[in-house]
Amino acid sequence: MLFKKKATLRSKYDKELFNLMKQTKQDLEYTQKIEDSVFERDGLLFAQTKLAKIKYFYLFKEARKRKIKGDTTRNLII
């Protein structure tokens, strides 16, 4: 009984991590798109893009530790 509860909790948080990864990837692509379309380089915009990239790769590394598999490229709004 105790192990079943642990497995369901792990599954629940794995799904939340995966959804967070998808959202973070969308944010990263959005900030990169804005940065590419801006003529002058803005320090704040550059920092936001860098932060979004760091967040995504941190979550990606965490997902690899937990052995979560999935496709984060589906259902993206471009």
Side-chain angles (χ1 to χ4, degrees):
M1 183 72 178
L2 181 64
F3 294 112
K4 185 175 183 180
K5 184 176 181 181
K6 185 177 178 181
T8 56
L9 281 175
R10 178 178 292 271
S11 176
K12 176 185 171 188
Y13 287 112
D14 286 350
K15 287 177 186 176
E16 286 185 25
L17 176 63
F18 187 72
N19 290 333
L20 184 61
M21 281 183 65
K22 288 197 303 188
Q23 181 62 40
T24 306
K25 184 169 183 174
Q26 287 177 346
D27 294 343
L28 173 61
E29 289 175 349
Y30 178 73
T31 56
Q32 284 177 337
K33 189 176 181 182
I34 290 175
E35 187 177 12
D36 291 341
S37 66
V38 172
F39 181 69
E40 293 182 18
R41 191 167 181 133
D42 183 24
L44 180 62
L45 185 60
F46 177 73
Q48 288 175 339
T49 304
K50 188 79 171 173
L51 181 63
K53 190 180 287 187
I54 290 169
K55 284 180 184 179
Y56 176 70
F57 284 111
Y58 174 77
L59 293 173
F60 186 78
K61 189 166 77 170
E62 191 64 30
R64 285 185 66 191
K65 277 187 206 175
R66 291 180 177 213
K67 299 179 182 171
I68 298 173
K69 297 186 184 200
D71 187 8
T72 59
T73 59
R74 286 187 288 166
N75 300 329
L76 292 181
I77 301 169
I78 296 177

